[in-house]
Amino acid sequence: MLPADSIGAVRGVTCETFQSRINVQFIRAVLGCLLAWGLVAPAFAANRGDHFVVVERADVLDAAGAVAGRLPRGTVIRAERDDTGTLAVLFPLAGRIGEQMAIPLAEAEAYFLDIVERDPADAAGHFALGQIHELADKNTVALEDYTRAIAIDGDIVPLRCRRGKLLLTRKQFGLAQRDFQAALRIDPKSIEALLGRGQSRLRSGSEELAAGDFKDVLKIDPGNAAAFAGLGGVLAEQGHYDKALAQLDRALAIDPKLIDAHNERARVLLRQEKPAEAVAAYSKALGIEPRNIDALSGRGAAWQAQYEAEKAIADYDAAIAIDPSSLTARSGRGLARAAQGQYDKAMADFNAIVELLPRFVGGYLLRAEIFFLQSKYEACIADCDRALMLDEKNTKAMSRRARARVRLGQTEQALEEADEIIRMEPATTVGYLTRGEIAKEAKQYDRALADFSKIIELTPKSPLGFAGRAGIHDLKHDYKSAVADYEEALKREPGHELSLNNLAWVLATCPQDKVRNGKRAVELAKLTAEKSRYRDASVLDTLAAAEAENGDFDAAVRWQTKVVELAVNDKSRPEMEARLKLYQGKKAYREERKAE
């Protein structure tokens, strides 16, 4: 499925058709960002043993009877009972403690509630309750518990780290980093705090600083699997996917059950546009930890990238059932629902995000996207305004607002906003892309050509500018130039779906005989159809036209029949039905245009 308001609007369906759809490329872009934030150490990562809570500070003894470490009161551990009157601790340290030093998790909530009722200033009691509530997936309550404990005693390193990790899962990276910084002021060599700060820096876009934290961990513990996984995440953010996979494989060789590494590995595969492999990687993570929210949400995104909306929604549902406040799962489910035209349900998810995180800009941008696709441009502008109140320099909000304004006939205001984006970010493409799209809709084609040419100048290795300029050439009936620019786009990115589909359409339907090439059109259209698993009506519409131009009318009828079946609620269904009748009469389709 291709972008609704993409550069060079996809041929084969009307503009109105694409306004009513959300697309996998948009979903990949949004979820790629959200999932990139998700590499957070699970709260209690060990898999073996049962949960216990330490009720008195306990020395952990190694096999030789030496003290391997200490567990503060209130620490949640995983351990196994034995017949010697001790507990074999498996996580977070390995060793033994006296059986009387910890109680089973099932008894712990009542125990510590009684303690904090009798002594509200007992920081360890509130810390214990936070961990207990987190294990019960009551993350909001857990955050309140940790905050109470820190207000009483802010110098407990594990407490600071625990709250920092929980804040990371809520995408509150700045607050999380403060907690890890506070922990490191107390203990500069805390591996847990270094890993946490590295993750918060990574998710805030400070890759080099994050790498420094992970390398510092490896200086302390050269075999730390989580640090190698973190370095893999840094490399992934920098676009070095093969190197990232190598680091992640190194982490998994050390600890095959490290959920972080499995999830990050799956995310890298998804970025490499290998969704089937990503599904397998996320499924492996879920085999280790079936209730892992990052893995469920990530697999949902991978299913969605394969046009498996029902499977995607099932995974998002499972994640939300575990944690209703999961931003990634809510966003993913909303996008998946929108892809099926379930706009009201999608909006319910995005409204929930705004309610949960009213200062999260992305929530308003997601709602604005749906409003735009529904042609509710005033509502779209209102949400862009809200986003800009929180981040006045957010160019994504400015761009979407400008495109909504042009749909309302406010062309001059839209162009002024695009000009402002260019003044703010003259070295990036977002302003020129916005202004080029606005100029295209206003039929100012020479101005649009200049903007897309500027995009090519700024990013000569990207297909973006060439695809956009090709669309303008098409609108000007300069079909040879359109074909040439689409070919240039495909040289830069052979799998660029927009260029594949649009070029196939021009080669199949162009009114100029010398431009058409049915055989080449079929080759391109099949590539795009394979990417969409033959489930996208707009792509199959192109394939049918290509088959007809190539003289295979039986194939054209077969694909166009499926197009009509898929386009049940599509505004352009009458056009699709008309093309079906043409192919049944063994006639190819020609896109006749009036002069513009």
Side-chain angles (χ1 to χ4, degrees), residues 460-463 466-467 483-496 499-500 503 520 524:
K461 294 182 179 180
S462 168
F466 289 101
V483 168
D485 269 345
Y486 282 133
E487 294 285 11
E488 287 296 324
L490 291 171
K491 287 178 185 177
R492 285 150 180 80
E493 188 180 320
H496 192 243
S499 298
L500 285 170
L503 178 55
R520 171 83 167 138
L524 295 168

Side-chain angles (χ1 to χ4, degrees), residues 98-270:
E99 188 175 26
Q100 75 281 4
M101 306 304 289
I103 60 175
L105 182 67
E107 303 170 16
E109 183 172 16
Y111 178 90
F112 283 101
L113 280 172
D114 181 62
I115 285 177
V116 298
E117 186 175 339
R118 287 187 282 108
D119 182 5
D122 189 315
H126 291 292
F127 182 25
L129 286 170
Q131 295 170 87
I132 293 163
H133 288 140
E134 197 173 346
L135 281 167
D137 299 320
K138 298 176 181 178
N139 290 339
T140 300
V141 178
L143 188 59
E144 293 170 355
D145 291 325
Y146 295 144
T147 300
R148 290 190 192 98
I150 288 171
I152 297 164
D153 185 353
D155 291 337
I156 303 173
V157 170
L159 169 58
R160 285 284 190 179
C161 291
R162 188 68 260 139
R163 188 175 73 168
K165 289 180 181 179
L166 188 52
L167 288 167
L168 275 177
T169 68
R170 297 168 72 90
K171 323 305 175 192
Q172 294 174 277
F173 306 123
L175 293 176
Q177 191 166 330
R178 289 182 196 174
D179 271 338
F180 296 123
Q181 291 274 78
L184 288 165
R185 282 194 293 270
I186 302 161
D187 180 3
K189 292 188 176 181
S190 168
I191 287 177
E192 188 177 18
L194 284 168
L195 289 171
R197 188 175 69 178
Q199 291 299 342
S200 61
R201 284 173 163 175
L202 176 58
R203 304 312 160 200
S204 300
S206 301
E207 290 91 353
E208 293 302 325
L209 289 174
D213 282 332
F214 298 134
K215 289 175 182 177
D216 284 344
V217 171
L218 291 171
K219 290 175 185 176
I220 302 167
D221 178 7
N224 190 286
F228 286 116
L231 288 172
V234 170
L235 289 165
E237 288 301 308
Q238 294 172 336
H240 305 306
Y241 298 132
D242 291 337
K243 290 181 179 179
L245 289 173
Q247 289 284 16
L248 292 162
D249 287 342
R250 190 173 181 180
L252 289 168
I254 297 168
D255 183 356
K257 293 187 176 182
L258 184 62
I259 296 292
D260 303 27
H262 283 292
N263 284 341
E264 183 66 12
R265 194 174 188 282
R267 276 189 284 272
V268 173
L269 291 167
L270 193 53

Side-chain angles (χ1 to χ4, degrees), residues 361-373:
V361 172
Y364 298 103
L365 292 179
L366 286 166
R367 288 202 318 195
E369 190 69 27
I370 300 302
F371 282 134
F372 186 90
L373 293 168

Side-chain angles (χ1 to χ4, degrees), residues 2 8-15 18 470-471 474-475 479 486 498 501-506 509 538-539 541-542 579 589 591 593 596:
L2 300 165
V10 178
R11 313 306 310 145
V13 290
T14 63
C15 184
F18 274 89
D474 188 1
L475 290 168
Y479 301 114
Y486 282 133
L498 180 71
N501 193 73
N502 285 10
L503 178 55
W505 182 259
V506 173
T509 69
S538 60
V539 170
D541 194 33
T542 300
R579 280 194 281 276
Y589 174 71
E591 186 170 59
R593 286 175 173 267
E596 301 205 43

